């Protein structure tokens, strides 16, 4: 027997899980108020010292709580699964949503009136003082126009903190925060007064000392709280637990951990405090099994069951972290996504297999907790034990969308190609969705932008225009193209233009964070900020990158192939006929105001707001119908029959995802054009831009910005997700689809690629199913695919959950580079998941 099954969680874990599932996320005001007070009190200080004083104020006064049953403590908010606001990055969007955030389509949050009042008062300080204000001041109008027209967006870090980092948990486990303080004092004393950089280095080391002393005090507040609760507790078992929690928090993370329980508490305090310092998401625990296993191995007093329960508790705590975004961004990150990626397996720095007991215990934690976080990942290479991959397959078929699987044989050389040493590349972890980085040595700026390749295709077809606006360069009328080479020349010209402004916009935001929001607490745990005497925002990390990610690659490849086949090869269409059909949206016009029959995104959102104002309970389908009715009043009828034959012809073309070189290599070339253009640019931290191809769930949201395409896709529909084929287009089974995806150049897309597959549960049943799964993964990786992840669920179950959400509150699915409760997703994101091809062996 290969399959082993899973034990049941303890009653404690079940109770803690239900607390998360039943929580109604709230916005809380305490951090925003405390940060504002600290900024007001530090006018005139250098930015790094102001940030240290902000951390000091928050760690000293943020309300703390220890919830019933917890063994690992430390919370960002009083209410479970809630969020604080960080106004130093941006604030005005929050105030605009005081009345609507609780009822919005994606990721609603309650904002009580007293919270709104406190935030309103705090926000009075911030106009002109935020990182977003400074970034906007640096940005050219052309870059802003590109953003406004849906070519790309840098809103992720424009509105919030950066995150997307994995710090050195192992260092803190060994030396504690007191060790960091001693290191900062020593380095400060060794500064050369003749070095002009010594002035700023002195400020950096001083800020680290301030931040880490405050962090120790924060942990001691929890020690005091646990002791207080223990003194009043009448249950002897819980009393003993609270007394030990108090002892743990008194010792760690001030000092190094001596037991596995202390190691778990240390790890969580680091994670919690990083979230408090800034609003960055994708703060990822990294290679949890590597830095935690030595403490399990050395702890002779702990039982395996109790160690498992502690890991399960960390899993619960990772689900307690939440983040709110503006209404539009919330749709791109649908499902309360925070992207804390925890990775196990792979290789050691010496190139030996790294699998250990904690690797397997993490899989058990997934089965016990069955919640969206963490984004659980495994690394696979030629030396990965079959048992490890089979056990991972058992986790996959639980239907939670994890683990995501990563290929060492592609990622390690791709990182080396970007200048990472072999040892550091072997020690990579995954942060965020799918982004590899040399852990605790990298400031990667992954997720720096969403870039819409399909929108650039549309603009290329319109000679640089969006509507009547000449947004891109004039690269030639599509009707004059006589070959595929003519298209590539025009497409490359447009790509060059838009990537230039993408890099400009990203760098404007990058500069703003360095000038206004350096992070001393985080920086001291990233190499080699301490050695260089500067924060990660100022270039202190060993490796510095900026990673914008593309989506719409499969749509573009399919469209270009359809043009090649039907216009230039078979001559069944002229480009003039194709353009006419596209401009008319194949006869499916959706608005009277636009001559192409399209609605602008601004019109959509304005109509959404009007509809929500009168009926906040509408689901997305009803909302869409109402919006279209509103915007189509007075629209001239369009004769759809004239274009339906053209649409059917285009839709009949071979598509990416069926192991056909003719179309697959076109998709590869279109992706390469983007990736090679991106890597021409550098960032203010002295690092290189590197491309990724993954969408989060932006393929749904930003599909609305794209008109009809030559693959037969009508306007406004979702685009393909990541490097996956278009939904329903991969007709020849999972191996053929994987072979197509593997033909993309995953080495050059070193910021990460994302491939989704959906299987029927029956396909992975029994030992045969597990073996087939392992063979599929190894075959795909032998063909040099980088990443793959799976939903194992049938369409019928998803439809039932959509219809009766109250019965499926604990149904978790893979959205993109993360998992989420299915019932909290916007209906259009649910529809996108339902429409993915169901594979079987």
């Amino acid at each position: 027997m290969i399959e082993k099954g899973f034990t049941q969680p303890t009653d404690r874990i079940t109770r803690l899980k239900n607390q998360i599932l039943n929580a109604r996320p709230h916005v809380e005001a305490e951090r925003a108020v405390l940060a504002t007070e600290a900024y007001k009190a530090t006018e005139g200080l250098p930015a790094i010292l102001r940030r240290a004083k902000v951390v000091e104020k928050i760690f000293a006064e943020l309300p703390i709580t220890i919830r019933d049953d917890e063994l690992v403590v430390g919370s960002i908010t009083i209410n479970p699964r809630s969020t604080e606001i960080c106004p130093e990055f941006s604030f005005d969007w929050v105030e605009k949503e005081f009345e609507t955030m609780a009822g919005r389509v994606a990721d609603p949050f309650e904002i009580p009136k007293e919270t709104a009042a406190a935030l309103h008062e705090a926000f009075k300080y911030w106009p002109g003082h935020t990182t977003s204000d400074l970034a906007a001041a640096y940005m050219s109008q052309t870059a802003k126009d590109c953003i406004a027209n849906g070519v790309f967006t840098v809103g992720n870090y424009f509105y919030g903190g950066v995150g997307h980092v994995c710090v050195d948990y192992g260092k803190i486990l060994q030396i504690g925060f007191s060790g960091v303080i001693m290191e900062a004092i020593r380095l400060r004393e060794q500064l050369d007064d003749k070095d002009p950089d010594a002035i700023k280095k002195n400020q950096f080391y001083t800020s680290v000392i301030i931040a880490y002393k405050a962090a120790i005090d924060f942990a001691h507040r929890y020690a005091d709280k646990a002791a207080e609760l223990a003194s009043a507790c009448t249950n002897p078992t819980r009393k003993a637990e609270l007394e030990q929690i108090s002892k743990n928090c008194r010792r760690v993370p001030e000092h190094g951990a001596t037991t596995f329980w202390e190691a778990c508490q240390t790890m969580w305090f680091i994670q919690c405090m990083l979230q408090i310092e800034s609003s960055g998401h994708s703060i990822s625990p990294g290679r949890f099994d590597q830095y935690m296993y030595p403490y399990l191995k050395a702890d002779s007093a702990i039982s395996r069951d109790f160690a498992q329960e502690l890991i399960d508790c960390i899993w619960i705590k990772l689900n307690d972290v939440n983040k709110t975004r503006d209404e539009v961004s919330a749709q791109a990150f649908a499902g309360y996504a925070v992207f804390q990626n925890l990775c196990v397996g792979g290789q050691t720095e010496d190139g030996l297999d790294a699998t250990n007991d904690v690797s397997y215990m993490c899989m058990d934690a997934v089965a016990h907790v069955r919640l969206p976080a963490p984004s659980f990942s495994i690394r696979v290479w030629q030396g990965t034990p079959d048992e490890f991959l089979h056990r991972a397959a058992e986790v996959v078929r639980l239907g939670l969308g994890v683990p995501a699987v990563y290929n060492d044989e592609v990622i390690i050389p791709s990182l080396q190609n970007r200048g990472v040493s072999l040892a550091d590349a072997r020690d990579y972890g995954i942060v965020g969705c799918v982004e590899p980085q040399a852990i605790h040595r990298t400031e990667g700026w992954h997720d720096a932008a969403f870039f819409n390749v399909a929108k650039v295709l549309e603009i290329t077809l319109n000679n640089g225009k969006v509507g009547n606006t000449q947004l891109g360069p004039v690269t030639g009328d599509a009707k004059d193209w006589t070959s595929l080479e003519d298209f590539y020349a025009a497409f490359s010209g447009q790509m060059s233009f838009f990537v230039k402004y993408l890099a400009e916009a990203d760098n404007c935001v990058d500069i703003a964070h360095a000038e206004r929001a350096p992070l001393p607490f985080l920086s001291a745990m990233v190499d080699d900020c301490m050695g260089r005497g500067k924060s990660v925002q100022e270039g202190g990390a060993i490796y510095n990158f900026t990673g914008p990610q593309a989506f719409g690659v499969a749509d573009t490849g399919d469209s270009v192939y359809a043009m090649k086949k039907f216009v230039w090869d078979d001559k069944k269409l002229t480009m003039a006929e194709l353009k006419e059909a596209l401009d008319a949206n194949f006869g499916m016009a959706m608005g009277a105001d636009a001559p192409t029959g399209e609605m602008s995104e601004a019109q959509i959102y304005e109509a959404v707001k009007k509809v929500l104002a009168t009926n906040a309970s509408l689901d997305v389908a009803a909302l869409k119908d109402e919006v279209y009715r509103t915007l189509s009043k007075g629209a001239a009828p369009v004769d759809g029959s004239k274009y339906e034959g053209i649409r059917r012809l285009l839709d009949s073309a071979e598509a990416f995802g069926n192991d056909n070189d003719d179309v697959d290599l076109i998709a590869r070339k279109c992706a390469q054009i983007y990736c090679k253009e991106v890597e021409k640019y550098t960032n203010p931290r002295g690092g290189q831009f590197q491309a990724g191809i993954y969408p989060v769930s932006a393929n749904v949201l930003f599909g609305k910005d794209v008109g009809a395409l030559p693959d037969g896709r009508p306007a406004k529909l979702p685009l393909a997700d990541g490097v996956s084929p278009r939904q329903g287009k991969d007709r020849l089974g999972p191996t053929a689809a994987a072979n197509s995806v593997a033909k993309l150049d995953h080495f050059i897309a070193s910021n990460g690629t994302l491939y989704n597959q959906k299987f029927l549960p029956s396909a992975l049943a029994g030992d045969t199913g597990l073996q087939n799964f392992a063979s599929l993964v190894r075959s795909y990786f032998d063909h040099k695919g980088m990443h793959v992840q799976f939903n194992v669920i049938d369409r019928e179950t998803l439809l039932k959950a959509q219809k009766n959400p109250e019965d499926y509150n604990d149904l978790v699915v893979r959205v993109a580079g993360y998992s989420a409760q299915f019932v909290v997703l916007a209906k259009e994101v649910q529809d996108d998941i339902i429409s993915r091809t169901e594979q079987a062996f």
Side-chain angles (χ1 to χ4, degrees), residues 350-409:
D350 295 330
L352 302 175
D353 185 61
T355 309
N356 60 46
D357 282 352
V358 175
S359 312
Y360 291 98
M361 293 172 76
C362 288
M363 297 189 194
D364 290 329
V366 173
H368 291 164
V369 175
R370 301 192 183 211
L371 287 173
S375 295
F376 180 56
S377 303
I378 66 168
R379 288 176 44 181
V380 172
W381 66 300
Q382 291 176 357
T384 294
D386 286 341
E387 180 186 2
F388 181 74
L389 198 49
H390 290 148
R391 190 61 171 166
E394 285 194 79
V395 178
V396 166
R397 71 181 183 189
L398 295 175
L400 303 169
V402 294
V405 191
Y406 295 84
N407 186 2
D408 280 12
E409 315 293 349

Side-chain angles (χ1 to χ4, degrees), residues 496-681:
S496 175
F497 177 86
F498 289 114
V499 169
K500 178 179 73 173
Y501 285 101
L502 164 73
E504 179 208 289
D506 264 336
N507 284 341
C508 290
V509 182
D510 204 331
I511 292 167
H513 278 272
E515 291 188 8
R516 288 192 172 173
L519 305 176
F521 179 73
L522 180 151
S523 297
M525 290 183 279
V526 176
D527 297 337
D528 188 28
C529 291
M530 293 294 279
R532 296 177 178 180
K534 59 173 66 174
S535 70
V536 291
Q537 290 71 35
E538 299 165 296
I542 294 173
Y543 306 112
N544 289 279
F545 298 103
T546 299
Q549 71 268 26
F551 53 92
V553 167
D555 312 82
T556 302
D558 288 351
S559 293
V560 176
Y561 175 75
M563 288 192 292
K564 176 181 181 296
K565 177 173 178 58
F566 296 126
V567 177
W568 302 310
D569 291 351
D570 296 350
K571 302 190 185 306
K572 292 185 177 181
L573 282 175
T574 66
M575 187 57 77
E577 290 171 330
L578 175 59
K579 277 290 283 117
E580 182 182 341
L582 296 178
D583 291 344
N585 190 31
F586 303 115
M588 294 179 276
M590 295 190 298
D593 297 333
T596 62
E598 300 175 4
M599 292 186 294
S600 72
E601 200 68 11
Q603 287 175 299
I604 292 175
Y605 290 133
E606 284 303 311
V608 166
K609 290 174 185 175
K610 290 178 182 177
V611 174
L612 283 175
T614 58
N615 187 351
S617 64
L618 283 174
D619 66 19
V620 175
L623 190 61
K624 186 187 295 183
D625 291 342
E626 182 61 29
V627 169
Y628 287 174
R629 280 197 297 272
T630 301
L631 295 179
S632 297
K633 290 177 181 177
V638 177
D639 181 9
S641 61
K642 180 179 180 180
Y643 305 111
E644 178 57 24
I646 294 176
R647 193 197 66 78
R648 285 200 304 269
L649 178 67
L650 297 170
D651 190 54
S652 71
E654 288 288 336
F656 177 74
N658 298 287
D659 200 9
N660 183 323
D661 280 355
D662 291 343
V663 61
D664 295 345
L665 296 183
I666 287 176
R668 175 188 171 94
K669 184 175 179 67
C670 291
Q672 283 179 327
I673 289 171
Y674 169 72
C675 294
K676 289 180 179 180
E677 199 63 43
V678 166
E679 67 183 16
K680 293 177 181 178
Y681 292 88

Side-chain angles (χ1 to χ4, degrees), residues 221-296:
R221 292 175 64 203
Y222 273 93
D224 294 340
K225 182 72 172 179
E228 175 191 329
L229 292 173
S231 66
C233 184
T234 58
N235 181 314
T237 301
R238 183 57 179 165
K239 185 182 184 73
E241 289 173 353
L242 288 165
E243 289 172 344
Q244 186 59 54
I245 289 169
S246 179
K247 292 176 183 177
N248 291 346
C249 296
R250 190 69 62 193
R251 175 174 175 79
V252 298
E254 180 176 4
H255 304 289
T258 59
T259 68
F260 188 67
W261 196 347
E262 288 179 356
C264 289
Q265 183 61 66
T266 300
M267 177 270 164
W268 177 249
F269 264 139
I270 295 169
Q271 191 73 10
C272 177
M273 293 178 193
L274 287 169
Q275 298 285 355
I276 291 170
E277 186 184 27
S278 81
S279 69
H281 65 69
S282 302
I283 295 171
S284 297
R287 304 191 73 187
F288 182 87
D289 57 343
Q290 300 306 296
Y291 57 77
M292 293 297 288
Y293 176 66
Y295 296 89
L296 177 66

